[in-house]
Amino acid sequence: MSCLVAVCVLCNRLYTLNYLCPRCGDVLADQGLIQDFFDPYSSYEDQKIYEDGYQGYTEECCTHVLACGKCGWYEYKALHRLPEDVIN
């Protein structure tokens, strides 16, 4: 039995989101994974502990923080990971 590796298109810089801030209209910037945004030690932890604890972060979805540098608005965006064999 083989295990497919799933990758996030944002984490791997394969895609760029282009969302506008609902408050001021400026472009929202990807601030990375939600657990990295709120927890500086998360990269050293088992990622399974974050499943469903961070606004939709699961084994199938990667949740990123999108933030506005102009007015401070931020929101979460959960994206489905793609199987690695689809990307290659």
Side-chain angles (χ1 to χ4, degrees):
M1 176 197 261
S2 66
C3 178
L4 287 178
V5 176
V7 296
C8 174
V9 293
L10 288 183
C11 289
N12 290 285
R13 307 263 189 236
L14 300 172
Y15 185 77
T16 303
L17 291 179
N18 191 14
Y19 285 100
L20 298 180
C21 176
R23 187 183 293 166
C24 73
D26 205 26
V27 176
L28 295 175
D30 178 18
Q31 298 297 310
L33 291 174
I34 191 170
Q35 63 266 38
D36 294 344
F37 188 76
F38 291 113
D39 182 0
Y41 297 105
S42 66
S43 59
Y44 302 106
E45 299 288 342
D46 180 1
Q47 294 301 298
K48 293 267 186 204
I49 68 171
Y50 295 108
E51 288 186 14
D52 275 345
Y54 277 114
Q55 304 291 324
Y57 184 90
T58 65
E59 192 171 304
E60 294 85 27
C61 289
C62 195
T63 303
H64 284 251
V65 176
L66 304 179
C68 179
K70 187 174 180 181
C71 74
W73 172 269
Y74 68 92
E75 60 186 60
Y76 312 121
K77 185 72 175 170
L79 299 157
H80 285 279
R81 292 184 175 119
L82 297 176
E84 189 175 43
D85 63 342
V86 170
I87 295 170
N88 292 329

